[in-house]
Amino acid sequence: YKGKVQAAIDAARPTLLRRYPLVLVWPNAQPSAIPRGEYTQNLLVGLRMRIQGVGPGGFTASGDYVPGSVIDGLGFNPDNAQGAAWLTLLTSLRYTGDPQVPDGAVVTFLHDPLELGSYDPALDGFTITGGVQQNFPANVNTLPGAVSTPYGATGALVTQGGGVYVHDRVQNLQLTDNVIVGNGGSYGGGIRVGTPYLSSNNTGLTIARNQIRDNGGTNLAGGVGIFAGSGGYRVTNNAICGNFSAEYGGGVSAYGYQGS
């Protein structure tokens, strides 16, 4: 599956005898068109599996570039081939929660109610970049009480973007040792867990040892947005800097009742 991370994810389907799917992602080839060796894809992860990179890559102190596992979603558009393929794959998956899954995140996690996997789902050792939203909502709360933030589903904005989006009932997800940088999203540019005004039950989340920097969100959160129903989460030992929100919670915003 060289060059096709989504194909490897789709093939790593757990069974009764093989309950521990693991996808290893090496740096891609580095032709002139993709000098960092990035994978220009938007991933849909619908099963309990671990997705392991070799590290985010980057420059050494001497200026040498070390290739890493880079997922870049910059090319997503629902009207082009990349976006159409994402939407087609989504319609083939079984998942809980709102059937209207916000599109455009670089990595989207879903929950299959009949899944067989025994791993806690994980994303470790990547650079996640290039998540881009489309359209700017006109009703951000610029004046308290004047307007209300729109509901965070597909009908509010066409493409909501972001680096990592966690949809519904994705339990014990581990987001660790990543560089999440340069993403724009409607309800959390770097990481968005759940949806405003819904209880998405994404419990047991761990966000640890990441660099979450230079991301932006237009509504309710900037770098990280953790929404209602995300009980038992841990955000620990991360470097969170340079993130922006047009509303509030530039770095980390926990919005809504989380439970125990």
Side-chain angles (χ1 to χ4, degrees):
Y1 299 102
K2 185 176 181 181
K4 298 180 180 180
V5 181
Q6 185 66 61
I9 291 171
D10 296 343
R13 181 170 292 274
T15 66
L16 286 172
L17 297 178
R18 298 178 179 178
R19 291 180 174 269
Y20 297 93
L22 172 65
V23 175
L24 301 177
V25 181
W26 295 94
N28 203 358
Q30 295 177 271
S32 58
I34 48 172
R36 295 177 298 163
E38 64 266 33
Y39 295 89
T40 53
Q41 296 180 279
N42 297 76
L43 305 180
L44 276 167
V45 185
L47 298 168
R48 298 183 69 83
M49 64 177 60
R50 293 185 178 181
I51 306 174
Q52 181 65 58
V54 302
F59 289 92
T60 66
S62 62
D64 295 324
Y65 183 73
V66 178
S69 300
V70 180
I71 309 296
D72 190 336
L74 187 59
F76 183 90
N77 186 305
D79 297 323
N80 66 16
Q82 184 173 331
W86 188 95
L87 293 168
T88 298
L89 176 59
L90 178 66
T91 61
S92 72
L93 298 177
R94 179 177 54 220
Y95 56 90
T96 62
D98 192 332
Q100 297 186 87
V101 177
D103 59 77
V106 182
V107 183
T108 297
F109 285 90
L110 306 170
H111 166 65
D112 182 345
L114 301 180
E115 64 187 356
L116 299 172
S118 297
Y119 265 143
D120 287 338
L123 183 73
D124 180 273
F126 287 87
T127 287
I128 304 296
T129 190
V132 178
Q133 73 175 88
Q134 296 180 6
N135 296 347
F136 191 97
N139 52 347
V140 171
N141 288 327
T142 53
L143 295 174
V147 290
S148 60
T149 301
Y151 166 68
T154 308
L157 294 169
V158 175
T159 293
Q160 296 183 21
V164 177
Y165 170 60
V166 187
H167 185 57
D168 177 78
R169 295 187 182 276
V170 179
Q171 298 180 339
N172 301 325
L173 174 63
Q174 302 172 42
L175 302 174
T176 54
D177 304 304
N178 303 293
V179 174
I180 301 173
V181 58
N183 300 284
S186 304
Y187 299 91
I191 299 171
R192 169 183 165 186
V193 184
T195 293
Y197 316 116
L198 289 179
S199 184
S200 301
N201 296 305
N202 295 303
T203 57
L205 169 75
T206 296
I207 300 173
R209 303 183 305 278
N210 303 284
Q211 291 185 30
I212 303 169
R213 56 184 177 84
D214 307 325
N215 303 286
T218 56
N219 295 78
L220 300 177
V224 180
I226 301 174
F227 296 103
S230 305
Y233 67 85
R234 295 191 310 134
V235 180
T236 181
N237 296 320
N238 300 282
I240 302 174
C241 64
N243 301 287
F244 169 81
S245 173
E247 195 165 18
Y248 51 78
V252 178
S253 180
Y255 184 90
Y257 179 70
Q258 308 296 344
S260 58

